[in-house]
Amino acid sequence: MSAARASAASLVTPAEIARLAKVTRAAVSNWRKRYEDFPAPVRGTGRTALFDLAEVRSWLDRHRKGDDPSPEVVLWHALRTRYGSEMVRGLADVSRLLTTGSAQDLEPDLIPLIHDLLEERAPAEVLTALVERMSAGEYTSTPRLVRAISHFAGPVTGTVYDPACGIGSLLLAFATPGTSLAGQECHKAAARLAGARLKLVDPDAAVRVGDSLRHDQWDRLRAELVVCDPPVNAADWGREDLLLDARWEFGVPTRAEGELAWLQHCYSHVAPGGRAVVVMPPSVAYRKAGRRIRAELIRRGALSEVIALPPGMAALHAQPVQLWLLDRPVHAESGRDTVRMVDLSANDPDETLEPIASQITDVPLIDLLDEDVDLTPARYVAAQHVDHLAEYAAACAAVATTLHELRELLPELGKGLGTLDGPSIKVADLVRAGLVSLTDDGATSTSDRLDTDFLRGFLSSAANVKRATSGSGSFRTDVTGSRIPQLSVDEQRRYGAAFRAFEEFDRLLAELAKLGQRATSLGRDGLTLGALRPEPGN
């Protein structure tokens, strides 16, 4: 090995030191600040600094770093022992000590463990590390969802408000210079934890306790941005007590549409010129109960964008979710004439959130205000990016092929005597003799003396259908009272072939109807969208 390679192999980055000592990168950063004897970098600065591996190992041994469980691990296990499933309350108690110095809610033996951790890290880093260890639950939004909301919310200056802030994860994404943070949360411990997390990065941030729908603690607040990942499927959201509430400017939600109550609550707190970004389950986009409210959102120009996110964004389930973006215009008339639909549902949730052209379409309001008022992005994005010319040509070719097959299917029939005067036999007798089997798929011959298509064809005759119909007009599945003529096997097979041809003709006729509808739909849409035009001479 050359001297240059040996030298390079003896150098380590701060990240490699962290892995070596089994701590976080933040811990290594704090060691460099707090310990005067920490090895100086051989070259580089900050995250790109390189340290002599032998010197680092010697320092770690001298200070007994990495031999024992880190203070963070020790504290976490101690908290789990004390609080069990109530870790939100445990972290809220820790946050009180970190922000105010008060340890009134903590067991005495936990206090020195917290101080040990504070020797290595700043209070905000300690709380962040502990929160990251807590599994996702109903009081936190996932990092994926936080990233998506902050991406589509865009830059913001002014007040950012979250009426269901949980432990504050979503609001923290907007803790930047020029913003002030406000939140509300009904769970007391979660609200305490959220307030502490926010104050560690913004001393003026405030989180109030209470149910935002029933007891709005920020009723006079108007924010430049409202973000919310509200509770879902909450039937008891207080509808009976809030029927006359002024927040329902687009309509009073039904008991089943609690998400639309949260949406309107968020919008009521948006300042003129501001916007709201609200997480919605996909069913809110098409459920019949919410149609009137969706229509009002569109008519009044409040809804600007619906974004279908990929599965894996939510904390408590793997189902996809949507983001609804609402704008409150500065003036009464917004002038909006389209709603942007974005379909990212097939994307990787960890990859880019920037949609490509084929995932976006701007839908005219009039096209949304139909009988369903369906706001599902895929419905419009897919239609907009159809190759109408190719699809229409393929549909027309399929119609022509099916028409040709239909012409070939109809059997040639000659003139009959007008009646079948020969003997007939009851199906019940054939069943008892073991010659016919009755299943959910219909009657089937079990003998080479009886053709199945012949049997089924005669069972569908008008006389036999009448026998299988009760006096009240209800259809009975029991066809044992039906009768079929007694013919030779060769004659049965000729009849059976004809019946089989008619069966296939019926099937193709139904298929032709679908193909025809497809062709006419593509043709009409292509003409009205400008993707197609009539050929000269048509």
Side-chain angles (χ1 to χ4, degrees):
M1 181 182 294
S2 69
R5 288 185 179 178
S7 176
S10 301
L11 300 180
V12 289
T13 65
E16 290 168 331
I17 296 172
R19 287 196 293 271
L20 183 65
K22 301 176 183 178
V23 296
T24 63
R25 295 183 188 182
V28 175
S29 177
N30 279 308
W31 289 344
R32 293 174 62 187
K33 295 175 185 175
R34 295 173 184 272
Y35 292 90
E36 293 183 359
D37 63 337
F38 193 89
V42 175
R43 63 171 180 264
T45 59
R47 294 184 178 180
T48 62
L50 293 173
F51 298 83
D52 184 276
L53 176 59
E55 291 182 4
V56 169
R57 287 187 183 278
S58 176
W59 187 90
L60 292 173
D61 290 340
R62 194 164 62 249
H63 289 270
R64 300 185 60 82
K65 301 293 186 182
D67 293 340
D68 301 317
S70 69
E72 177 189 317
V73 172
V74 173
L75 174 59
W76 178 257
H77 286 298
L79 289 169
R80 291 289 293 180
T81 300
R82 300 298 188 282
Y83 292 93
S85 61
E86 297 185 62
M87 283 301 288
V88 171
R89 182 169 63 87
L91 296 192
D93 292 344
V94 172
S95 71
R96 188 193 296 274
L97 174 62
L98 297 176
T99 55
T100 69
S102 171
Q104 66 183 56
D105 299 313
L106 288 167
E107 294 288 339
D109 59 334
L110 292 173
I111 298 171
L113 300 179
I114 298 171
H115 285 302
D116 285 346
L117 196 51
L118 287 172
E119 289 184 6
E120 297 182 351
R121 308 187 204 177
E125 294 172 344
V126 169
L127 199 52
T128 298
L130 293 173
V131 167
E132 288 177 351
R133 284 183 173 271
M134 188 167 59
S135 60
E138 59 184 313
Y139 304 116
T140 182
S141 298
T142 65
R144 287 172 172 173
L145 195 53
V146 170
R147 182 173 73 100
I149 293 171
S150 58
H151 175 82
F152 288 105
V156 60
T157 300
T159 300
V160 181
Y161 168 62
D162 183 348
C165 68
I167 62 172
S169 301
L170 187 50
L171 279 173
L172 277 171
F174 298 93
T176 58
T179 62
S180 59
L181 308 177
Q184 184 167 336
E185 171 57 44
C186 62
H187 188 274
K188 291 182 180 180
R192 278 202 295 132
L193 179 54
R197 296 181 73 195
L198 296 178
K199 281 188 176 296
L200 286 170
V201 296
D202 177 7
D204 296 324
V207 175
R208 297 176 181 174
V209 181
D211 183 329
S212 288
L213 295 185
R214 288 185 171 91
H215 305 290
D216 188 359
Q217 302 294 318
W218 296 95
D219 58 322
R220 296 187 180 183
L221 176 68
R222 299 297 177 267
E224 280 65 39
L225 175 65
V226 179
V227 291
C228 190
D229 180 9
V232 296
N233 300 323
D236 184 18
W237 55 267
R239 183 179 190 274
E240 287 71 19
D241 300 326
L242 300 171
L243 285 173
L244 301 179
D245 198 289
R247 288 173 291 181
W248 318 139
E249 56 182 294
F250 303 104
V252 180
T254 66
R255 283 178 59 87
E257 295 291 332
E259 294 88 357
L260 289 177
W262 280 101
L263 187 80
Q264 292 189 78
H265 170 78
C266 290
Y267 190 73
S268 72
H269 282 279
V270 176
R275 68 174 9 189
V277 183
V278 186
V279 181
M280 292 277 109
S283 58
V284 178
Y286 59 80
R287 284 195 300 232
K288 186 176 181 180
R291 184 182 66 84
R292 184 177 300 177
I293 293 175
R294 295 195 299 271
E296 280 302 303
L297 285 166
I298 294 165
R299 288 192 188 99
R300 295 173 58 176
L303 185 67
S304 63
E305 196 165 347
V306 179
I307 302 153
L309 296 175
M313 288 281 183
L316 298 176
H317 59 81
Q319 300 305 310
V321 295
Q322 296 175 354
L323 298 183
W324 288 27
L325 277 60
L326 287 77
D327 294 335
R328 185 178 289 280
V330 176
H331 306 292
E333 296 297 328
S334 71
R336 182 186 310 284
D337 53 10
T338 63
V339 172
R340 172 155 290 190
M341 295 289 176
V342 180
D343 185 13
L344 303 178
S345 58
N347 287 23
D348 186 318
D350 295 314
E351 297 298 330
T352 179
L353 292 165
E354 199 61 42
I356 59 177
S358 61
Q359 294 175 317
I360 308 172
T361 186
D362 293 323
V363 185
L365 303 190
I366 191 64
D367 292 346
L368 297 171
L369 294 171
D370 57 11
E371 183 178 350
D372 299 319
V373 196
D374 190 338
L375 302 182
T376 304
R379 173 177 178 177
Y380 303 96
V381 172
Q384 179 68 23
H385 297 287
V386 167
D387 185 341
H388 283 85
L389 183 58
E391 294 281 350
Y392 179 68
C396 289
V399 168
T401 299
T402 306
L403 281 170
H404 177 74
E405 291 178 5
L406 283 169
R407 283 196 299 268
E408 296 297 318
L409 266 177
L410 287 175
E412 293 186 9
L413 301 177
K415 183 176 177 59
L417 299 176
T419 182
L420 288 174
D421 291 330
S424 63
I425 187 171
K426 277 189 173 184
V427 172
D429 294 333
L430 294 171
V431 171
R432 278 193 293 271
L435 301 177
V436 169
S437 171
L438 298 179
T439 66
D440 292 340
D441 295 328
T444 303
S445 169
T446 60
S447 168
D448 57 6
R449 291 180 290 162
L450 181 63
D451 184 84
T452 293
D453 292 312
F454 162 80
L455 169 67
R456 291 181 175 181
F458 273 96
L459 286 177
S460 66
S461 70
N464 280 328
V465 168
K466 186 175 181 180
R467 291 189 185 101
T469 305
S470 68
S472 62
S474 61
F475 188 75
R476 298 196 311 265
T477 57
D478 184 6
V479 295
T480 53
S482 302
R483 304 186 72 91
I484 62 171
Q486 290 182 270
L487 302 177
S488 69
V489 172
D490 289 340
E491 287 182 289
Q492 290 179 35
R493 287 172 180 162
R494 286 197 295 274
Y495 275 93
F499 286 134
R500 193 163 54 247
F502 286 126
E503 187 77 20
E504 180 64 11
F505 187 88
D506 280 344
R507 187 192 66 78
L508 274 180
L509 199 58
E511 182 66 23
L512 178 64
K514 293 179 182 178
L515 291 170
Q517 290 173 353
R518 171 71 173 161
T520 55
S521 176
L522 284 165
R524 288 195 185 104
D525 288 348
L527 291 171
T528 55
L529 291 170
L532 300 175
R533 65 176 182 176
E535 289 287 359
N538 270 6

